[in-house]
Amino acid sequence: MKIGIVQLLVEGAEPERNLERASRYIEKAVTCQVDMVLLPETIDFGWTHPESLLNAKPVPGEYSQIFCDLAKKNSIWICVGLTEKVNDSNFNSAILINRKGEIVLKHRKINLLEVEFPFYQIGNKIEVVNTDFGIIGLNICADNYWGSKYLGESLAAMGANLILSPSSWTVDHAVNEANEPYEDKWEKPYSYLASNFNLILASTTSVGYLVGGPYVGKKMIGKSLVMGPDGIIDQGGFNEFSSHLL
């Protein structure tokens, strides 16, 4: 199985620009003959941007259909994080789309950070799906914190061979390559899940600066991570400008 990991520049409150950028990366990944493309968390409006409260779309809906069409056109799988409107509420959601353009799995983030509460409701379900590649589970970003590792453990108990995790790893503006913020927060829990349950955990994050919401001025710094039972398989570039395809 070959996965295209898209470490994507996400601009706050610019869904058309973000989704167009994501679409171009998908087309680029197709030229690399990937089976699947993995994109970050809330790539439409950006994580915790107030604009999402007004203009988020349902899933299925206008924005998710873009990726369903791309999956069908290119006969690939796509996993992407979007803001999901449900009545008067939003969820921080991720979807997995098969080669036919069908949404076969949807996850609503469960381990919300306190700053997320004004923006998203808490999800209440965790699932896996059988595929040609094996059993795939889906979660989002902080669902993999040490304090919520039971979510990954539950996916493993359901038989997951692969866990996909769209993310938006956000740090203070002063953090740079010389100041490693991820070992305890990401690498260790990922390694625990991958090694103890013999699975792959693939996560990709946005890059860029947050321009709205409670974390305005902070930045998404990259270093997307793919972890296997024997350790790190691949990592993304580690700075806020490193938008690229692995």
Side-chain angles (χ1 to χ4, degrees):
M1 181 185 187
K2 190 173 186 180
I3 305 179
I5 306 290
V6 179
Q7 188 163 284
L8 184 71
L9 170 64
V10 173
E11 300 174 89
E14 294 286 355
E16 287 77 17
R17 288 161 62 96
N18 295 331
L19 299 179
E20 172 60 26
R21 189 178 296 114
S23 299
R24 292 199 303 270
Y25 267 111
I26 290 171
E27 297 287 3
K28 181 178 180 180
V30 169
T31 67
C32 300
Q33 298 181 319
V34 299
D35 300 295
M36 177 184 291
V37 176
L38 174 62
L39 294 143
E41 175 183 13
T42 56
I43 68 166
D44 41 12
F45 294 93
W47 183 67
T48 66
H49 197 288
E51 186 74 15
S52 66
L53 295 171
L54 299 174
N55 294 317
K57 307 297 183 184
V59 177
E62 178 183 348
Y63 292 162
S64 62
Q65 189 61 46
I66 293 170
F67 298 99
C68 291
D69 291 344
L70 284 166
K72 183 177 181 179
K73 171 188 171 185
N74 295 293
S75 189
I76 60 169
W77 291 71
I78 296 175
C79 180
V80 58
L82 297 168
T83 315
E84 179 188 8
K85 177 68 71 179
V86 180
N87 299 320
D88 294 326
S89 299
N90 283 354
F91 289 91
N92 181 339
S93 296
I95 54 174
L96 179 63
I97 304 164
N98 68 14
R99 296 184 190 274
K100 298 178 181 179
E102 302 165 334
I103 298 173
V104 296
L105 194 60
K106 179 167 68 176
H107 174 71
R108 293 169 173 169
K109 189 175 181 181
I110 293 172
N111 186 36
L112 297 180
L113 306 185
E114 186 174 349
V115 296
E116 294 183 86
F117 291 157
F119 300 93
Y120 315 113
Q121 300 296 307
I122 298 172
N124 62 6
K125 184 168 60 174
I126 192 160
E127 296 179 284
V128 298
V129 63
N130 286 291
T131 75
D132 294 341
F133 310 113
I135 300 175
I136 296 179
L138 187 57
N139 64 23
I140 298 172
C141 200
D143 285 338
N144 292 300
Y145 276 8
W146 275 119
S148 56
K149 64 183 177 64
Y150 58 87
L151 295 171
E153 291 171 335
S154 296
L155 291 172
M158 296 176 194
N161 309 115
L162 170 66
I163 296 176
L164 303 172
S165 187
S167 298
S168 183
W169 295 348
T170 304
V171 298
D172 187 77
H173 66 89
V175 171
N176 58 39
E177 293 92 330
N179 179 12
E180 170 60 80
Y182 287 156
E183 183 178 2
D184 288 336
K185 184 173 283 189
W186 298 114
E187 289 183 16
K188 288 184 179 178
Y190 277 37
S191 178
Y192 162 78
L193 287 168
S195 61
N196 281 276
F197 298 98
N198 193 36
L199 54 80
I200 304 293
L201 208 161
S203 183
T204 189
T205 178
S206 311
V207 295
Y209 282 85
L210 296 181
V211 296
Y215 275 12
V216 63
K218 295 195 176 189
K219 60 186 180 180
M220 303 162 290
I221 201 171
K223 204 179 180 185
S224 300
L225 182 63
V226 183
M227 185 74 74
D230 298 321
I232 294 172
I233 295 172
D234 208 349
Q235 289 181 314
F238 185 31
N239 67 68
E240 61 271 31
F241 307 109
S242 186
S243 179
H244 65 107
L245 171 71
L246 284 78

